[in-house]
Amino acid sequence: MNAYAEAFRGGYNNEIAELALFNQAKLAIQLGDNNAISLLDKFVKLFPKSPNAKEATKMKARMLINTDNYREAVALLDAMDDLDAATEEAYQRVTLARGMELYKSRNFQGAIDLFNKCKSKRAKPELAGQAMFWKSESLMQMKQIDEAVKAYQEFIDYPGSASVPELPYAYYGMGYVKFDGKQYGDASMYFTKFTNQAANGRYEERLVHDAYLRLGDCYFMTKQLPEAVKAYAYVSGKKSADADYALYQSALIYGLLEKSEDKTASLKRLIEEYPNSRFILDAYDECASTYLAMGRSLDAQQYYNIILSRFPNSPQAAKAYSALGRTYYLSKDYNKSIDMYTQLYDRFTGTSEAQAANEMVRKIYSEMGKASDYVKWAKPRGGITDNAQDSLYYEAAYDAFDKDDYKLAKSGFETYLQQYPKGAFSMEAHYFLAQSYEQLKSKPEAIKEYSIVAKANSGDMKEDAAMSVLRLSGDNATCDQIIDYVEILESLTKSKDQRQNCWKSMMYCYVKGNNQEKLVAVSNKIINDPTTPQEMRTEARLVLVKSDIQTGKTGSSLTDLKDIYSKENNRFAAEAKYLEAELLFKQDSLDACKNSCYAILDEFNGYDLWVGKALLLLGDAFKKEGDLFNAKATWNGIIENFDMAELITAAKAKLKELETSTTPVAPEVPKSPK
């Protein structure tokens, strides 16, 4: 090594210098010298026309693979005209690896471009197959479903797919495509292929359990009920994420099979084992209604009263009041019955449930021979003299709506609400008026009417009204415009995906509005929900740490950040590592700060934003130490190697600031051999 270095530095003969530097680089590779890449880089720059320049480029590319610098390795190999077999395999490896980096950072189109490059080569068929699979997954993430189906099928039909570990996951992906397209027979076939493969190998349990759930759903939709119960039982037996859903679905099936005892047993297990389940309210409701159908009214009353105690404003509460009113009426406990119907009427005014409660109160007082008491009951609630006219106005408007005459319906509902703002059908009138406005393309008016329904105790209309406000508000709505309705929807929806989308919006808005209390609450919901994707839970944990940093509670921040980035490798883990470096910089722990920045370059180099930010911070650390030469070189490197505008702008600003300050003379750069 030293002899080659001396021969190169001597510079007496250009050919000797060229050969010496090339041999020094090759020997450095053999010895595992960390300086090997810089020697190869120097050789290519100094001797670009050398016969060995191409070989040096190949060697550098292979070295970059070992250092996980896939971006530069791809750029080097892309610049070469032709590749031999060994280099073509290296090309497949780096394009696949770089594609995976972009996939993890959610740059799916960029990832697809790399996967296409990988599968265009055939040196290593298994690598081409992997590229086909991840291209399919990228297309799914981009919601390009038709293209994803073609890509999955191309991979499944690929002759070498049997040797690719990802093949079972292609069955899983195809299963979901068919499931979302309501092709339940085809979907069950693919999910079965996946679960059969999973039984013979080690696959991620979360996906296996999810496949069994969807298999159960497919059987349920195709009325293969015993098979559905078996699929759901796999998940509930493992007590995995969504086991509560499996129990709830099993209970519904037992109801269809008229196995009431099995149904209530499943529901009770759900209630006992998953008290925070999104199906808990429905479980209480189903338990109560099942016991009522079995003639066990006392058991039914117990569950209905739990609903009223824990969920007094839910749509199920209206049903509970009505059911309790009915059971008390049948047992001739008229005062309790009237009390239930009264609470129903007062809490859910303007709904069909309230109107039915009014009719039952009228009936009970009539049967008791106390018509005057009904008049007293009805007086503070609008009286009884206009009921027929009230109904006439509403029915005329609804008749026009039902005939798709939205202009006439709009006029009718507006007239009804002017005459009876708190009438028996007021909530329904607001709801159908909103739908009429929407059909007439009057978006602001539709949002206004849906908002009234969403914020009231409007029974089954409440969830749809909240969803409609969000849908009509669009993607560009401000947090102030949507947050109330996101919160309403989150409290009502049983859809896992919809609830998680609500949580994302809530986190974003609470951060933006600096609402720390609600931010902590929703983040903890996400973290404690086993059905939430791991990346989203990592984001929630990071949000909590950032909240602490923002409020000056940094005592445990470094430990919390380490716990995040040491267990994950996603964009939020990369941000966590960067936040660690930033905290260390603020604490003047410059060596530790630089080490954290270097770690980002090594461990999270697929996340361009955080790599760029780490380099900006690294330059700041050099500057703070007085090493202005390396600070300038680092920021210039960003300008030369990144295409993200925000990073380039920041680097240029730092360089400009550096130029206006007094700078020491830069160290002398070694001369190239002559």
Side-chain angles (χ1 to χ4, degrees):
M1 283 284 289
N2 290 333
Y4 286 134
E6 284 300 319
F8 169 70
R9 277 197 294 269
Y12 299 113
N13 182 291
N14 200 50
E15 291 182 5
I16 292 175
E18 175 188 333
L19 186 60
L21 182 56
F22 184 66
N23 286 328
Q24 184 185 1
K26 287 202 297 183
L27 186 57
I29 293 172
Q30 294 171 12
L31 296 174
D33 191 323
N34 292 331
N35 202 36
I37 288 179
S38 62
L39 290 170
L40 290 168
D41 196 38
K42 183 187 292 186
F43 180 84
V44 174
K45 287 180 180 178
L46 293 176
F47 306 106
K49 296 182 180 181
S50 167
N52 291 318
K54 192 172 188 179
E55 184 60 28
T57 301
K58 291 179 183 178
M59 288 191 292
K60 182 183 175 184
R62 295 190 190 103
M63 289 291 294
L64 289 170
I65 296 173
N66 295 329
T67 61
D68 295 343
N69 190 342
Y70 304 122
R71 178 188 5 214
E72 189 176 349
V74 170
L76 280 173
L77 294 174
D78 270 340
M80 298 181 67
D81 295 331
D82 58 325
L83 306 176
D84 56 34
T87 311
E88 187 171 283
E89 180 180 335
Y91 184 77
Q92 283 187 281
R93 292 190 184 281
V94 296
T95 49
L96 179 61
R98 179 58 180 158
M100 290 305 302
E101 287 181 341
L102 295 178
Y103 178 88
K104 289 180 181 179
S105 63
R106 305 188 71 77
N107 180 354
F108 299 117
Q109 187 55 60
I112 288 172
D113 294 340
L114 270 298
F115 296 142
N116 281 334
K117 288 181 177 182
C118 177
K119 76 187 189 73
S120 69
K121 307 298 181 184
R122 287 293 185 268
K124 194 78 171 176
E126 183 179 318
L127 297 175
Q130 286 180 287
M132 290 178 186
F133 170 76
W134 287 107
K135 177 183 177 179
S136 310
E137 293 285 291
S138 300
L139 289 165
M140 279 288 286
Q141 292 287 347
M142 295 169 70
K143 308 298 182 187
Q144 295 183 19
I145 305 301
D146 291 341
E147 293 301 314
V149 171
K150 293 177 185 176
Y152 278 129
Q153 196 62 57
E154 180 189 7
F155 170 57
I156 291 170
D157 294 340
Y158 178 58
S161 64
S163 63
V164 180
E166 285 84 357
L167 177 60
Y169 295 113
Y171 294 142
Y172 176 80
M174 280 289 271
Y176 253 103
V177 171
K178 300 297 183 181
F179 182 83
D180 290 341
K182 303 187 187 308
Q183 300 175 46
Y184 300 113
D186 289 343
S188 65
M189 176 189 70
Y190 283 110
F191 284 129
T192 299
K193 284 186 176 184
F194 175 72
T195 55
N196 288 343
Q197 291 272 353
N200 299 320
R202 297 176 62 86
Y203 293 90
E204 189 178 347
E205 282 193 1
R206 178 182 63 83
L207 296 182
V208 175
H209 296 166
D210 187 65
Y212 273 105
L213 279 178
R214 298 291 80 83
L215 187 56
D217 291 343
C218 291
Y219 287 140
F220 182 79
M221 296 304 296
T222 54
K223 297 183 172 54
Q224 300 177 69
L225 302 184
E227 290 81 0
V229 170
K230 289 178 185 177
Y232 290 135
Y234 180 92
V235 180
S236 59
K238 297 283 187 179
K239 295 188 177 182
S240 61
D242 280 321
D244 57 339
Y245 171 78
L247 285 169
Y248 184 69
Q249 287 293 102
S250 297
L252 295 182
I253 292 172
Y254 286 133
L256 293 172
L257 296 173
E258 298 183 354
K259 296 182 177 181
S260 298
E261 293 292 350
D262 289 334
K263 178 180 179 179
T264 54
S266 292
L267 293 168
K268 284 182 176 180
R269 183 179 160 195
L270 191 161
I271 290 167
E272 291 168 5
E273 295 181 10
Y274 305 98
N276 298 316
S277 166
R278 67 188 188 278
F279 299 102
I280 194 72
L281 179 52
D282 292 285
Y284 284 125
D285 185 43
E286 286 289 336
C287 247
S289 62
T290 303
Y291 279 131
L292 203 59
M294 294 168 69
R296 295 168 57 175
S297 58
L298 291 178
D299 289 325
Q301 288 173 21
Q302 174 189 349
Y303 286 100
Y304 281 132
N305 280 315
I306 291 173
I307 292 173
L308 297 181
S309 173
R310 291 185 57 186
F311 312 98
N313 299 318
S314 66
Q316 286 86 344
K319 298 174 186 175
Y321 280 123
S322 181
L324 286 170
R326 183 71 179 169
T327 57
Y328 291 137
Y329 170 74
L330 292 174
S331 64
K332 301 189 184 305
D333 193 340
Y334 296 130
N335 289 330
K336 279 189 176 181
S337 180
I338 289 172
D339 180 53
M340 289 296 107
Y341 285 125
T342 299
Q343 290 190 61
L344 170 55
Y345 186 93
D346 291 345
R347 281 186 175 274
F348 295 88
T349 302
T351 65
S352 57
E353 291 91 344
Q355 181 63 13
N358 172 43
E359 293 302 319
M360 281 303 299
V361 171
R362 186 208 300 265
K363 178 179 180 179
I364 294 169
Y365 275 125
S366 177
E367 290 180 2
M368 293 171 68
K370 297 181 178 180
S372 60
D373 284 353
Y374 173 69
V375 174
K376 292 177 184 177
W377 181 92
K379 187 175 182 180
R381 296 173 176 85
I384 59 173
T385 56
D386 289 338
N387 274 0
Q389 191 174 3
D390 177 330
S391 177
L392 184 63
Y393 272 105
Y394 175 78
E395 288 175 4
Y398 186 80
D399 186 58
F401 178 86
D402 196 41
K403 293 177 179 177
D404 298 336
D405 190 344
Y406 301 112
K407 189 173 182 180
L408 183 59
K410 176 186 82 70
S411 177
F413 288 127
E414 287 175 338
T415 300
Y416 173 84
L417 289 168
Q418 288 169 2
Q419 295 291 325
Y420 307 99
K422 295 184 179 180
F425 304 97
S426 57
M427 277 300 112
E428 293 182 358
H430 280 297
Y431 180 75
F432 290 115
L433 177 57
Q435 292 202 338
S436 299
Y437 276 132
E438 188 175 350
Q439 291 293 332
L440 295 168
K441 311 300 182 187
S442 299
K443 186 186 293 186
E445 290 80 4
I447 290 175
K448 179 182 176 183
E449 296 301 321
Y450 279 130
S451 299
I452 293 170
V453 180
K455 290 186 175 181
N457 285 340
S458 52
D460 291 335
M461 298 175 288
K462 188 179 182 77
E463 181 177 349
D464 184 70
M467 288 175 60
S468 296
V469 171
L470 296 172
R471 172 172 50 79
L472 292 175
S473 297
D475 295 335
N476 296 322
T478 65
C479 285
D480 289 341
Q481 290 173 319
I482 66 169
I483 189 60
D484 289 345
Y485 308 100
V486 172
E487 291 174 342
I488 290 168
L489 184 58
E490 186 267 344
S491 70
L492 294 173
T493 184
K494 292 189 286 291
S495 165
K496 177 175 65 176
D497 292 340
Q498 197 168 75
R499 182 180 54 172
Q500 290 170 2
N501 286 334
C502 286
W503 285 343
K504 287 181 182 178
S505 297
M506 290 161 76
M507 274 202 302
Y508 172 79
C509 288
Y510 296 154
V511 168
K512 193 174 179 66
N514 197 26
N515 191 331
Q516 298 298 318
E517 183 178 350
K518 286 189 173 182
L519 179 62
V520 169
V522 73
S523 297
N524 282 320
K525 279 186 179 181
I526 294 168
I527 292 167
N528 295 322
D529 185 340
T531 69
T532 304
Q534 185 59 46
E535 185 172 281
M536 190 174 174
R537 277 189 277 176
T538 305
E539 180 183 7
R541 293 177 64 202
L542 185 60
V543 162
L544 290 177
V545 180
K546 289 164 73 174
S547 175
D548 286 342
I549 293 172
Q550 184 179 346
T551 54
K553 302 174 184 176
T554 58
S556 64
S557 295
L558 288 174
T559 301
D560 293 338
L561 290 169
K562 183 177 181 180
D563 192 50
I564 292 171
Y565 69 69
S566 62
K567 294 179 180 178
E568 304 293 338
N569 187 349
N570 54 37
R571 54 190 169 135
F572 300 113
E575 184 179 358
K577 189 66 180 177
Y578 173 77
L579 289 174
E580 176 190 74
E582 201 171 50
L583 272 178
L584 292 167
F585 179 82
K586 290 175 181 177
Q587 295 171 3
D588 284 332
S589 300
L590 298 183
D591 284 340
C593 167
K594 289 192 294 183
N595 286 334
S596 292
C597 290
Y598 292 137
I600 293 171
L601 307 186
D602 290 338
E603 299 167 23
F604 300 101
N605 52 37
Y607 303 96
D608 291 357
L609 175 63
W610 300 111
V611 169
K613 283 182 170 288
L615 288 170
L616 287 169
L617 185 61
L618 185 60
D620 289 335
F622 283 133
K623 180 182 175 184
K624 206 169 190 179
E625 289 178 329
D627 187 353
L628 303 185
F629 175 79
N630 275 317
K632 185 176 180 180
T634 302
W635 294 329
N636 274 319
I638 294 172
I639 296 169
E640 293 169 3
N641 297 303
F642 285 80
D643 55 7
M644 298 180 72
E646 64 176 290
L647 297 175
I648 294 170
T649 300
K652 286 181 177 179
K654 290 180 182 294
L655 285 168
K656 186 174 182 180
E657 182 183 348
L658 193 64
E659 289 171 4
T660 60
S661 63
T662 304
T663 57
V665 177
E668 184 178 350
V669 181
K671 295 179 180 179
S672 299
K674 297 177 182 178

